[in-house]
Amino acid sequence: MSLLAGRTVVVSGVGAGLGHQVAAAVVRDGGNAVLGARTEANLGKSAAEIDPDGSHTAWRATDITDEEQCAALAGLALERFGGIDAMVQVAAWDSCFGGLEDADFTTWQSVIDVNLLGTLRMTRACLGGLKGRGGSVVFIGTQSAVAAPSQVRQAAYAASKGALTSAMYSLARELGPYRIRVNSVLPGWMWGPPVRAYVQFTAQAEGVPEEEVLGRLTDRTALPELATDGDVADAAVFLASDRARAITGQSLLVNAGELMR
C-alpha cells in the first residue's frame, strides 16, 4: 500500500529544491499535494513536472508572512481535496549570513518572521483541516540549530530554526489531544541546488576542483556522501504518514551521519 494513499498534504516553500522533492514524494506515494510558495511560476512548473494531468496537485502563490495567504492555501486544500492530513513546512529564509558582531537585527527580525512565525502561521491555518482527521505536521529545520557548522556562519537562520524546534515540543503537547503529531526533520549539508551552487562558487573562488570542495563536506560524514534533497523529502513523507503514528515531538537528523546524537 502506498504510504500516503488518498491523503492530502500541504507543502509550503515549493521551489526548485527540497520543496519540489517533498511534493513529488507525496504524489509518488499516492497522496495529493497542495503546493505553496511566493513565486507563482515555480509552482506551476513544479506541479506540471510532478503531476502532468493535475489530478493530484493544486497550488497557490503564498507568502507565509501573511496570515490571509496562509489561510487561502489551507482553504484550497479543503476545497479541492476535502481535508488536510498533513502539512510539511519547507519555506524558509536561509540566505542571511554572518554572526553576532556583524548582525543587522532588522534582518534578523525578518528571518525570524519567516522561519519561526511564518511556520506557526501556516500551521495554525491548517489546524481546521487537521483537527477532524488527526494527522501530522512536519517542520523542516536544520542541523545548524543544534550544532553550528564550521564552514558557513548563519547565526540568524540557526537561531530562528532553534526556536522553531523548541516550539515543536510545545505544539506536540498542545495538539496531541487532537491526534495531531508534530515533528521536525533536521538536514545537514544537503545535496541539491543551494549546496551545488555553494560548491561551484567556492571551487571557482579558490581555483580548486569542485570535488575538493565537496570532499571537505563528505569528510565529516559517516557515510561517504551527502544526504540529498530526496533523502530529506523521504524522511518528511515518512513522518507525515501513518507509519509514524506513534512519533511526535521528535527531531530526526538526516545528515549521512555528520552529527550523531
Side-chain angles (χ1 to χ4, degrees), residues 182-222:
V182 187
N183 295 287
S184 294
V185 176
L186 306 183
W189 287 91
M190 182 173 56
W191 190 248
V195 172
R196 188 178 295 114
Y198 165 80
V199 168
Q200 292 171 345
F201 174 81
T202 303
Q204 291 174 0
E206 297 182 5
V208 299
E210 292 180 14
E211 291 76 14
E212 179 178 326
V213 179
L214 181 58
R216 298 172 196 168
L217 304 180
T218 56
D219 283 349
R220 300 168 58 88
T221 59

PDB file of all heavy atoms in Angstrom, residues 182-222:
ATOM      1  N   VAL A 182       3.471  16.332  15.728  1.00  0.00           N
ATOM      2  CA  VAL A 182       4.327  17.433  15.293  1.00  0.00           C
ATOM      3  C   VAL A 182       5.787  17.003  15.448  1.00  0.00           C
ATOM      4  O   VAL A 182       6.225  16.676  16.560  1.00  0.00           O
ATOM      5  CB  VAL A 182       4.074  18.719  16.108  1.00  0.00           C
ATOM      6  CG1 VAL A 182       4.853  19.889  15.500  1.00  0.00           C
ATOM      7  CG2 VAL A 182       2.588  19.048  16.173  1.00  0.00           C
ATOM      8  N   ASN A 183       6.511  16.997  14.352  1.00  0.00           N
ATOM      9  CA  ASN A 183       7.912  16.567  14.350  1.00  0.00           C
ATOM     10  C   ASN A 183       8.749  17.476  13.456  1.00  0.00           C
ATOM     11  O   ASN A 183       8.209  18.240  12.646  1.00  0.00           O
ATOM     12  CB  ASN A 183       8.024  15.119  13.847  1.00  0.00           C
ATOM     13  CG  ASN A 183       7.365  14.121  14.771  1.00  0.00           C
ATOM     14  OD1 ASN A 183       7.866  13.824  15.840  1.00  0.00           O
ATOM     15  ND2 ASN A 183       6.208  13.603  14.350  1.00  0.00           N
ATOM     16  N   SER A 184      10.050  17.361  13.599  1.00  0.00           N
ATOM     17  CA  SER A 184      10.978  18.137  12.772  1.00  0.00           C
ATOM     18  C   SER A 184      11.964  17.209  12.067  1.00  0.00           C
ATOM     19  O   SER A 184      12.395  16.201  12.638  1.00  0.00           O
ATOM     20  CB  SER A 184      11.776  19.131  13.625  1.00  0.00           C
ATOM     21  OG  SER A 184      10.949  20.115  14.183  1.00  0.00           O
ATOM     22  N   VAL A 185      12.324  17.582  10.851  1.00  0.00           N
ATOM     23  CA  VAL A 185      13.430  16.950  10.139  1.00  0.00           C
ATOM     24  C   VAL A 185      14.565  17.968  10.110  1.00  0.00           C
ATOM     25  O   VAL A 185      14.361  19.124   9.719  1.00  0.00           O
ATOM     26  CB  VAL A 185      13.043  16.558   8.704  1.00  0.00           C
ATOM     27  CG1 VAL A 185      14.247  15.984   7.957  1.00  0.00           C
ATOM     28  CG2 VAL A 185      11.903  15.551   8.716  1.00  0.00           C
ATOM     29  N   LEU A 186      15.755  17.544  10.544  1.00  0.00           N
ATOM     30  CA  LEU A 186      16.898  18.445  10.613  1.00  0.00           C
ATOM     31  C   LEU A 186      17.960  17.987   9.613  1.00  0.00           C
ATOM     32  O   LEU A 186      18.760  17.100   9.912  1.00  0.00           O
ATOM     33  CB  LEU A 186      17.496  18.455  12.028  1.00  0.00           C
ATOM     34  CG  LEU A 186      16.552  18.753  13.190  1.00  0.00           C
ATOM     35  CD1 LEU A 186      17.333  18.797  14.502  1.00  0.00           C
ATOM     36  CD2 LEU A 186      15.795  20.058  12.969  1.00  0.00           C
ATOM     37  N   PRO A 187      17.997  18.581   8.443  1.00  0.00           N
ATOM     38  CA  PRO A 187      19.038  18.220   7.473  1.00  0.00           C
ATOM     39  C   PRO A 187      20.367  18.865   7.839  1.00  0.00           C
ATOM     40  O   PRO A 187      20.419  19.944   8.456  1.00  0.00           O
ATOM     41  CB  PRO A 187      18.519  18.807   6.148  1.00  0.00           C
ATOM     42  CG  PRO A 187      17.125  19.274   6.417  1.00  0.00           C
ATOM     43  CD  PRO A 187      17.030  19.522   7.878  1.00  0.00           C
ATOM     44  N   GLY A 188      21.443  18.205   7.441  1.00  0.00           N
ATOM     45  CA  GLY A 188      22.756  18.838   7.455  1.00  0.00           C
ATOM     46  C   GLY A 188      23.030  19.393   6.067  1.00  0.00           C
ATOM     47  O   GLY A 188      22.133  19.917   5.407  1.00  0.00           O
ATOM     48  N   TRP A 189      24.274  19.275   5.617  1.00  0.00           N
ATOM     49  CA  TRP A 189      24.569  19.637   4.223  1.00  0.00           C
ATOM     50  C   TRP A 189      23.765  18.709   3.329  1.00  0.00           C
ATOM     51  O   TRP A 189      23.812  17.486   3.481  1.00  0.00           O
ATOM     52  CB  TRP A 189      26.057  19.490   3.939  1.00  0.00           C
ATOM     53  CG  TRP A 189      26.878  20.561   4.573  1.00  0.00           C
ATOM     54  CD1 TRP A 189      27.452  20.541   5.813  1.00  0.00           C
ATOM     55  CD2 TRP A 189      27.210  21.829   3.998  1.00  0.00           C
ATOM     56  NE1 TRP A 189      28.116  21.720   6.051  1.00  0.00           N
ATOM     57  CE2 TRP A 189      27.992  22.528   4.952  1.00  0.00           C
ATOM     58  CE3 TRP A 189      26.927  22.447   2.777  1.00  0.00           C
ATOM     59  CZ2 TRP A 189      28.488  23.808   4.718  1.00  0.00           C
ATOM     60  CZ3 TRP A 189      27.417  23.708   2.537  1.00  0.00           C
ATOM     61  CH2 TRP A 189      28.193  24.386   3.497  1.00  0.00           C
ATOM     62  N   MET A 190      23.022  19.274   2.414  1.00  0.00           N
ATOM     63  CA  MET A 190      22.034  18.532   1.649  1.00  0.00           C
ATOM     64  C   MET A 190      22.277  18.772   0.156  1.00  0.00           C
ATOM     65  O   MET A 190      22.186  19.914  -0.304  1.00  0.00           O
ATOM     66  CB  MET A 190      20.642  19.008   2.075  1.00  0.00           C
ATOM     67  CG  MET A 190      19.489  18.328   1.431  1.00  0.00           C
ATOM     68  SD  MET A 190      17.938  18.884   2.201  1.00  0.00           S
ATOM     69  CE  MET A 190      18.026  20.663   1.985  1.00  0.00           C
ATOM     70  N   TRP A 191      22.606  17.720  -0.574  1.00  0.00           N
ATOM     71  CA  TRP A 191      22.938  17.893  -1.975  1.00  0.00           C
ATOM     72  C   TRP A 191      21.689  18.220  -2.784  1.00  0.00           C
ATOM     73  O   TRP A 191      20.779  17.431  -2.940  1.00  0.00           O
ATOM     74  CB  TRP A 191      23.609  16.643  -2.538  1.00  0.00           C
ATOM     75  CG  TRP A 191      24.168  16.863  -3.902  1.00  0.00           C
ATOM     76  CD1 TRP A 191      23.733  16.318  -5.067  1.00  0.00           C
ATOM     77  CD2 TRP A 191      25.270  17.712  -4.252  1.00  0.00           C
ATOM     78  NE1 TRP A 191      24.486  16.773  -6.119  1.00  0.00           N
ATOM     79  CE2 TRP A 191      25.437  17.626  -5.657  1.00  0.00           C
ATOM     80  CE3 TRP A 191      26.112  18.549  -3.520  1.00  0.00           C
ATOM     81  CZ2 TRP A 191      26.429  18.344  -6.331  1.00  0.00           C
ATOM     82  CZ3 TRP A 191      27.092  19.252  -4.194  1.00  0.00           C
ATOM     83  CH2 TRP A 191      27.243  19.145  -5.577  1.00  0.00           C
ATOM     84  N   GLY A 192      21.666  19.423  -3.267  1.00  0.00           N
ATOM     85  CA  GLY A 192      20.567  19.960  -4.061  1.00  0.00           C
ATOM     86  C   GLY A 192      21.034  21.293  -4.616  1.00  0.00           C
ATOM     87  O   GLY A 192      22.213  21.657  -4.494  1.00  0.00           O
ATOM     88  N   PRO A 193      20.148  22.061  -5.235  1.00  0.00           N
ATOM     89  CA  PRO A 193      20.569  23.305  -5.899  1.00  0.00           C
ATOM     90  C   PRO A 193      21.376  24.266  -5.019  1.00  0.00           C
ATOM     91  O   PRO A 193      22.417  24.769  -5.470  1.00  0.00           O
ATOM     92  CB  PRO A 193      19.242  23.914  -6.347  1.00  0.00           C
ATOM     93  CG  PRO A 193      18.358  22.735  -6.587  1.00  0.00           C
ATOM     94  CD  PRO A 193      18.724  21.747  -5.515  1.00  0.00           C
ATOM     95  N   PRO A 194      20.999  24.576  -3.766  1.00  0.00           N
ATOM     96  CA  PRO A 194      21.798  25.533  -2.988  1.00  0.00           C
ATOM     97  C   PRO A 194      23.212  25.052  -2.695  1.00  0.00           C
ATOM     98  O   PRO A 194      24.183  25.806  -2.838  1.00  0.00           O
ATOM     99  CB  PRO A 194      20.984  25.712  -1.705  1.00  0.00           C
ATOM    100  CG  PRO A 194      19.593  25.338  -2.068  1.00  0.00           C
ATOM    101  CD  PRO A 194      19.749  24.225  -3.059  1.00  0.00           C
ATOM    102  N   VAL A 195      23.358  23.792  -2.276  1.00  0.00           N
ATOM    103  CA  VAL A 195      24.691  23.282  -1.952  1.00  0.00           C
ATOM    104  C   VAL A 195      25.515  23.083  -3.220  1.00  0.00           C
ATOM    105  O   VAL A 195      26.726  23.327  -3.225  1.00  0.00           O
ATOM    106  CB  VAL A 195      24.589  21.974  -1.134  1.00  0.00           C
ATOM    107  CG1 VAL A 195      25.962  21.335  -0.950  1.00  0.00           C
ATOM    108  CG2 VAL A 195      23.959  22.268   0.220  1.00  0.00           C
ATOM    109  N   ARG A 196      24.865  22.678  -4.285  1.00  0.00           N
ATOM    110  CA  ARG A 196      25.590  22.567  -5.565  1.00  0.00           C
ATOM    111  C   ARG A 196      26.154  23.927  -5.968  1.00  0.00           C
ATOM    112  O   ARG A 196      27.314  24.040  -6.398  1.00  0.00           O
ATOM    113  CB  ARG A 196      24.640  22.040  -6.639  1.00  0.00           C
ATOM    114  CG  ARG A 196      25.338  21.693  -7.960  1.00  0.00           C
ATOM    115  CD  ARG A 196      24.354  21.133  -8.976  1.00  0.00           C
ATOM    116  NE  ARG A 196      23.813  19.861  -8.551  1.00  0.00           N
ATOM    117  CZ  ARG A 196      22.551  19.650  -8.232  1.00  0.00           C
ATOM    118  NH1 ARG A 196      21.663  20.641  -8.272  1.00  0.00           N
ATOM    119  NH2 ARG A 196      22.142  18.459  -7.879  1.00  0.00           N
ATOM    120  N   ALA A 197      25.363  24.983  -5.794  1.00  0.00           N
ATOM    121  CA  ALA A 197      25.832  26.338  -6.122  1.00  0.00           C
ATOM    122  C   ALA A 197      26.978  26.754  -5.197  1.00  0.00           C
ATOM    123  O   ALA A 197      27.945  27.384  -5.640  1.00  0.00           O
ATOM    124  CB  ALA A 197      24.676  27.332  -6.011  1.00  0.00           C
ATOM    125  N   TYR A 198      26.888  26.394  -3.907  1.00  0.00           N
ATOM    126  CA  TYR A 198      27.967  26.708  -2.952  1.00  0.00           C
ATOM    127  C   TYR A 198      29.266  26.031  -3.369  1.00  0.00           C
ATOM    128  O   TYR A 198      30.341  26.645  -3.357  1.00  0.00           O
ATOM    129  CB  TYR A 198      27.565  26.262  -1.546  1.00  0.00           C
ATOM    130  CG  TYR A 198      28.715  26.220  -0.573  1.00  0.00           C
ATOM    131  CD1 TYR A 198      29.192  27.374   0.040  1.00  0.00           C
ATOM    132  CD2 TYR A 198      29.356  25.003  -0.276  1.00  0.00           C
ATOM    133  CE1 TYR A 198      30.258  27.329   0.921  1.00  0.00           C
ATOM    134  CE2 TYR A 198      30.420  24.955   0.607  1.00  0.00           C
ATOM    135  CZ  TYR A 198      30.870  26.115   1.202  1.00  0.00           C
ATOM    136  OH  TYR A 198      31.933  26.074   2.064  1.00  0.00           O
ATOM    137  N   VAL A 199      29.192  24.768  -3.732  1.00  0.00           N
ATOM    138  CA  VAL A 199      30.388  24.028  -4.137  1.00  0.00           C
ATOM    139  C   VAL A 199      30.999  24.643  -5.391  1.00  0.00           C
ATOM    140  O   VAL A 199      32.214  24.849  -5.478  1.00  0.00           O
ATOM    141  CB  VAL A 199      30.045  22.533  -4.356  1.00  0.00           C
ATOM    142  CG1 VAL A 199      31.195  21.801  -5.056  1.00  0.00           C
ATOM    143  CG2 VAL A 199      29.711  21.868  -3.020  1.00  0.00           C
ATOM    144  N   GLN A 200      30.166  24.973  -6.363  1.00  0.00           N
ATOM    145  CA  GLN A 200      30.667  25.575  -7.596  1.00  0.00           C
ATOM    146  C   GLN A 200      31.303  26.936  -7.339  1.00  0.00           C
ATOM    147  O   GLN A 200      32.396  27.226  -7.841  1.00  0.00           O
ATOM    148  CB  GLN A 200      29.520  25.693  -8.614  1.00  0.00           C
ATOM    149  CG  GLN A 200      29.016  24.360  -9.126  1.00  0.00           C
ATOM    150  CD  GLN A 200      27.746  24.482  -9.952  1.00  0.00           C
ATOM    151  OE1 GLN A 200      27.065  25.519  -9.930  1.00  0.00           O
ATOM    152  NE2 GLN A 200      27.404  23.427 -10.676  1.00  0.00           N
ATOM    153  N   PHE A 201      30.638  27.770  -6.547  1.00  0.00           N
ATOM    154  CA  PHE A 201      31.154  29.105  -6.261  1.00  0.00           C
ATOM    155  C   PHE A 201      32.482  29.034  -5.506  1.00  0.00           C
ATOM    156  O   PHE A 201      33.438  29.741  -5.830  1.00  0.00           O
ATOM    157  CB  PHE A 201      30.131  29.887  -5.431  1.00  0.00           C
ATOM    158  CG  PHE A 201      30.636  31.225  -4.957  1.00  0.00           C
ATOM    159  CD1 PHE A 201      30.617  32.325  -5.798  1.00  0.00           C
ATOM    160  CD2 PHE A 201      31.146  31.371  -3.673  1.00  0.00           C
ATOM    161  CE1 PHE A 201      31.095  33.559  -5.368  1.00  0.00           C
ATOM    162  CE2 PHE A 201      31.618  32.603  -3.230  1.00  0.00           C
ATOM    163  CZ  PHE A 201      31.596  33.692  -4.083  1.00  0.00           C
ATOM    164  N   THR A 202      32.540  28.175  -4.478  1.00  0.00           N
ATOM    165  CA  THR A 202      33.751  28.060  -3.676  1.00  0.00           C
ATOM    166  C   THR A 202      34.914  27.535  -4.509  1.00  0.00           C
ATOM    167  O   THR A 202      36.054  28.014  -4.393  1.00  0.00           O
ATOM    168  CB  THR A 202      33.505  27.147  -2.466  1.00  0.00           C
ATOM    169  OG1 THR A 202      32.417  27.667  -1.704  1.00  0.00           O
ATOM    170  CG2 THR A 202      34.730  27.056  -1.577  1.00  0.00           C
ATOM    171  N   ALA A 203      34.634  26.546  -5.353  1.00  0.00           N
ATOM    172  CA  ALA A 203      35.685  25.996  -6.215  1.00  0.00           C
ATOM    173  C   ALA A 203      36.239  27.059  -7.161  1.00  0.00           C
ATOM    174  O   ALA A 203      37.458  27.178  -7.346  1.00  0.00           O
ATOM    175  CB  ALA A 203      35.142  24.806  -6.999  1.00  0.00           C
ATOM    176  N   GLN A 204      35.361  27.849  -7.743  1.00  0.00           N
ATOM    177  CA  GLN A 204      35.809  28.916  -8.648  1.00  0.00           C
ATOM    178  C   GLN A 204      36.587  29.983  -7.899  1.00  0.00           C
ATOM    179  O   GLN A 204      37.623  30.454  -8.366  1.00  0.00           O
ATOM    180  CB  GLN A 204      34.598  29.531  -9.352  1.00  0.00           C
ATOM    181  CG  GLN A 204      33.930  28.599 -10.353  1.00  0.00           C
ATOM    182  CD  GLN A 204      32.647  29.181 -10.923  1.00  0.00           C
ATOM    183  OE1 GLN A 204      32.248  30.296 -10.580  1.00  0.00           O
ATOM    184  NE2 GLN A 204      31.979  28.421 -11.779  1.00  0.00           N
ATOM    185  N   ALA A 205      36.108  30.363  -6.715  1.00  0.00           N
ATOM    186  CA  ALA A 205      36.770  31.410  -5.935  1.00  0.00           C
ATOM    187  C   ALA A 205      38.160  30.993  -5.482  1.00  0.00           C
ATOM    188  O   ALA A 205      39.079  31.813  -5.415  1.00  0.00           O
ATOM    189  CB  ALA A 205      35.913  31.774  -4.725  1.00  0.00           C
ATOM    190  N   GLU A 206      38.327  29.706  -5.173  1.00  0.00           N
ATOM    191  CA  GLU A 206      39.608  29.216  -4.669  1.00  0.00           C
ATOM    192  C   GLU A 206      40.488  28.621  -5.756  1.00  0.00           C
ATOM    193  O   GLU A 206      41.648  28.298  -5.498  1.00  0.00           O
ATOM    194  CB  GLU A 206      39.361  28.173  -3.576  1.00  0.00           C
ATOM    195  CG  GLU A 206      38.643  28.722  -2.347  1.00  0.00           C
ATOM    196  CD  GLU A 206      38.460  27.669  -1.272  1.00  0.00           C
ATOM    197  OE1 GLU A 206      38.969  26.535  -1.449  1.00  0.00           O
ATOM    198  OE2 GLU A 206      37.813  27.968  -0.249  1.00  0.00           O
ATOM    199  N   GLY A 207      39.932  28.455  -6.944  1.00  0.00           N
ATOM    200  CA  GLY A 207      40.696  27.870  -8.038  1.00  0.00           C
ATOM    201  C   GLY A 207      41.025  26.408  -7.818  1.00  0.00           C
ATOM    202  O   GLY A 207      42.116  25.945  -8.180  1.00  0.00           O
ATOM    203  N   VAL A 208      40.090  25.672  -7.218  1.00  0.00           N
ATOM    204  CA  VAL A 208      40.297  24.245  -6.952  1.00  0.00           C
ATOM    205  C   VAL A 208      39.164  23.454  -7.600  1.00  0.00           C
ATOM    206  O   VAL A 208      38.106  24.013  -7.925  1.00  0.00           O
ATOM    207  CB  VAL A 208      40.348  23.968  -5.434  1.00  0.00           C
ATOM    208  CG1 VAL A 208      41.504  24.724  -4.789  1.00  0.00           C
ATOM    209  CG2 VAL A 208      39.021  24.336  -4.758  1.00  0.00           C
ATOM    210  N   PRO A 209      39.347  22.144  -7.791  1.00  0.00           N
ATOM    211  CA  PRO A 209      38.265  21.336  -8.367  1.00  0.00           C
ATOM    212  C   PRO A 209      37.050  21.275  -7.430  1.00  0.00           C
ATOM    213  O   PRO A 209      37.196  21.325  -6.203  1.00  0.00           O
ATOM    214  CB  PRO A 209      38.900  19.945  -8.513  1.00  0.00           C
ATOM    215  CG  PRO A 209      40.369  20.167  -8.477  1.00  0.00           C
ATOM    216  CD  PRO A 209      40.579  21.352  -7.592  1.00  0.00           C
ATOM    217  N   GLU A 210      35.877  21.151  -8.004  1.00  0.00           N
ATOM    218  CA  GLU A 210      34.657  21.030  -7.201  1.00  0.00           C
ATOM    219  C   GLU A 210      34.716  19.809  -6.289  1.00  0.00           C
ATOM    220  O   GLU A 210      34.198  19.832  -5.168  1.00  0.00           O
ATOM    221  CB  GLU A 210      33.431  20.951  -8.112  1.00  0.00           C
ATOM    222  CG  GLU A 210      33.147  22.249  -8.851  1.00  0.00           C
ATOM    223  CD  GLU A 210      31.928  22.156  -9.738  1.00  0.00           C
ATOM    224  OE1 GLU A 210      31.147  21.184  -9.583  1.00  0.00           O
ATOM    225  OE2 GLU A 210      31.737  23.053 -10.598  1.00  0.00           O
ATOM    226  N   GLU A 211      35.360  18.743  -6.770  1.00  0.00           N
ATOM    227  CA  GLU A 211      35.466  17.527  -5.968  1.00  0.00           C
ATOM    228  C   GLU A 211      36.197  17.784  -4.651  1.00  0.00           C
ATOM    229  O   GLU A 211      35.899  17.167  -3.623  1.00  0.00           O
ATOM    230  CB  GLU A 211      36.190  16.429  -6.754  1.00  0.00           C
ATOM    231  CG  GLU A 211      35.411  15.873  -7.940  1.00  0.00           C
ATOM    232  CD  GLU A 211      35.400  16.823  -9.138  1.00  0.00           C
ATOM    233  OE1 GLU A 211      36.210  17.799  -9.144  1.00  0.00           O
ATOM    234  OE2 GLU A 211      34.589  16.598 -10.049  1.00  0.00           O
ATOM    235  N   GLU A 212      37.166  18.709  -4.671  1.00  0.00           N
ATOM    236  CA  GLU A 212      37.899  19.022  -3.444  1.00  0.00           C
ATOM    237  C   GLU A 212      36.991  19.715  -2.422  1.00  0.00           C
ATOM    238  O   GLU A 212      37.020  19.402  -1.225  1.00  0.00           O
ATOM    239  CB  GLU A 212      39.099  19.909  -3.757  1.00  0.00           C
ATOM    240  CG  GLU A 212      39.905  20.297  -2.514  1.00  0.00           C
ATOM    241  CD  GLU A 212      41.124  21.129  -2.838  1.00  0.00           C
ATOM    242  OE1 GLU A 212      41.725  20.915  -3.912  1.00  0.00           O
ATOM    243  OE2 GLU A 212      41.478  21.993  -2.017  1.00  0.00           O
ATOM    244  N   VAL A 213      36.182  20.648  -2.907  1.00  0.00           N
ATOM    245  CA  VAL A 213      35.260  21.345  -2.003  1.00  0.00           C
ATOM    246  C   VAL A 213      34.221  20.372  -1.461  1.00  0.00           C
ATOM    247  O   VAL A 213      33.921  20.370  -0.260  1.00  0.00           O
ATOM    248  CB  VAL A 213      34.571  22.521  -2.734  1.00  0.00           C
ATOM    249  CG1 VAL A 213      33.588  23.221  -1.799  1.00  0.00           C
ATOM    250  CG2 VAL A 213      35.614  23.508  -3.250  1.00  0.00           C
ATOM    251  N   LEU A 214      33.680  19.533  -2.320  1.00  0.00           N
ATOM    252  CA  LEU A 214      32.704  18.538  -1.870  1.00  0.00           C
ATOM    253  C   LEU A 214      33.339  17.588  -0.863  1.00  0.00           C
ATOM    254  O   LEU A 214      32.698  17.200   0.123  1.00  0.00           O
ATOM    255  CB  LEU A 214      32.160  17.765  -3.070  1.00  0.00           C
ATOM    256  CG  LEU A 214      31.111  16.697  -2.780  1.00  0.00           C
ATOM    257  CD1 LEU A 214      29.900  17.297  -2.089  1.00  0.00           C
ATOM    258  CD2 LEU A 214      30.692  15.998  -4.071  1.00  0.00           C
ATOM    259  N   GLY A 215      34.604  17.230  -1.097  1.00  0.00           N
ATOM    260  CA  GLY A 215      35.291  16.329  -0.186  1.00  0.00           C
ATOM    261  C   GLY A 215      35.427  16.884   1.223  1.00  0.00           C
ATOM    262  O   GLY A 215      35.413  16.134   2.201  1.00  0.00           O
ATOM    263  N   ARG A 216      35.539  18.201   1.345  1.00  0.00           N
ATOM    264  CA  ARG A 216      35.613  18.811   2.668  1.00  0.00           C
ATOM    265  C   ARG A 216      34.322  18.575   3.455  1.00  0.00           C
ATOM    266  O   ARG A 216      34.328  18.514   4.693  1.00  0.00           O
ATOM    267  CB  ARG A 216      35.853  20.314   2.557  1.00  0.00           C
ATOM    268  CG  ARG A 216      37.158  20.702   1.899  1.00  0.00           C
ATOM    269  CD  ARG A 216      37.194  22.206   1.666  1.00  0.00           C
ATOM    270  NE  ARG A 216      38.235  22.584   0.731  1.00  0.00           N
ATOM    271  CZ  ARG A 216      38.343  23.786   0.165  1.00  0.00           C
ATOM    272  NH1 ARG A 216      37.443  24.733   0.473  1.00  0.00           N
ATOM    273  NH2 ARG A 216      39.307  24.046  -0.691  1.00  0.00           N
ATOM    274  N   LEU A 217      33.221  18.461   2.730  1.00  0.00           N
ATOM    275  CA  LEU A 217      31.927  18.212   3.378  1.00  0.00           C
ATOM    276  C   LEU A 217      31.742  16.735   3.691  1.00  0.00           C
ATOM    277  O   LEU A 217      31.329  16.376   4.798  1.00  0.00           O
ATOM    278  CB  LEU A 217      30.793  18.711   2.478  1.00  0.00           C
ATOM    279  CG  LEU A 217      30.865  20.181   2.046  1.00  0.00           C
ATOM    280  CD1 LEU A 217      29.675  20.525   1.153  1.00  0.00           C
ATOM    281  CD2 LEU A 217      30.914  21.111   3.251  1.00  0.00           C
ATOM    282  N   THR A 218      32.059  15.875   2.735  1.00  0.00           N
ATOM    283  CA  THR A 218      31.843  14.442   2.950  1.00  0.00           C
ATOM    284  C   THR A 218      32.874  13.845   3.901  1.00  0.00           C
ATOM    285  O   THR A 218      32.630  12.782   4.490  1.00  0.00           O
ATOM    286  CB  THR A 218      31.855  13.681   1.614  1.00  0.00           C
ATOM    287  OG1 THR A 218      33.087  13.934   0.930  1.00  0.00           O
ATOM    288  CG2 THR A 218      30.700  14.117   0.730  1.00  0.00           C
ATOM    289  N   ASP A 219      34.007  14.514   4.094  1.00  0.00           N
ATOM    290  CA  ASP A 219      34.981  14.032   5.079  1.00  0.00           C
ATOM    291  C   ASP A 219      34.409  14.055   6.496  1.00  0.00           C
ATOM    292  O   ASP A 219      34.923  13.368   7.385  1.00  0.00           O
ATOM    293  CB  ASP A 219      36.251  14.891   5.044  1.00  0.00           C
ATOM    294  CG  ASP A 219      37.147  14.556   3.870  1.00  0.00           C
ATOM    295  OD1 ASP A 219      36.907  13.525   3.208  1.00  0.00           O
ATOM    296  OD2 ASP A 219      38.088  15.335   3.582  1.00  0.00           O
ATOM    297  N   ARG A 220      33.356  14.815   6.701  1.00  0.00           N
ATOM    298  CA  ARG A 220      32.764  14.968   8.032  1.00  0.00           C
ATOM    299  C   ARG A 220      31.625  13.981   8.279  1.00  0.00           C
ATOM    300  O   ARG A 220      31.087  13.932   9.390  1.00  0.00           O
ATOM    301  CB  ARG A 220      32.240  16.398   8.203  1.00  0.00           C
ATOM    302  CG  ARG A 220      33.316  17.463   8.060  1.00  0.00           C
ATOM    303  CD  ARG A 220      32.696  18.851   7.942  1.00  0.00           C
ATOM    304  NE  ARG A 220      31.870  19.171   9.087  1.00  0.00           N
ATOM    305  CZ  ARG A 220      32.325  19.739  10.207  1.00  0.00           C
ATOM    306  NH1 ARG A 220      33.607  20.043  10.311  1.00  0.00           N
ATOM    307  NH2 ARG A 220      31.515  20.011  11.207  1.00  0.00           N
ATOM    308  N   THR A 221      31.235  13.227   7.264  1.00  0.00           N
ATOM    309  CA  THR A 221      30.071  12.345   7.384  1.00  0.00           C
ATOM    310  C   THR A 221      30.493  10.894   7.562  1.00  0.00           C
ATOM    311  O   THR A 221      31.534  10.463   7.062  1.00  0.00           O
ATOM    312  CB  THR A 221      29.164  12.459   6.147  1.00  0.00           C
ATOM    313  OG1 THR A 221      29.909  12.105   4.977  1.00  0.00           O
ATOM    314  CG2 THR A 221      28.641  13.876   5.991  1.00  0.00           C
ATOM    315  N   ALA A 222      29.675  10.122   8.277  1.00  0.00           N
ATOM    316  CA  ALA A 222      29.956   8.700   8.455  1.00  0.00           C
ATOM    317  C   ALA A 222      29.796   7.946   7.141  1.00  0.00           C
ATOM    318  O   ALA A 222      30.585   7.055   6.820  1.00  0.00           O
ATOM    319  CB  ALA A 222      29.028   8.116   9.519  1.00  0.00           C
TER     320      ALA A 222
END
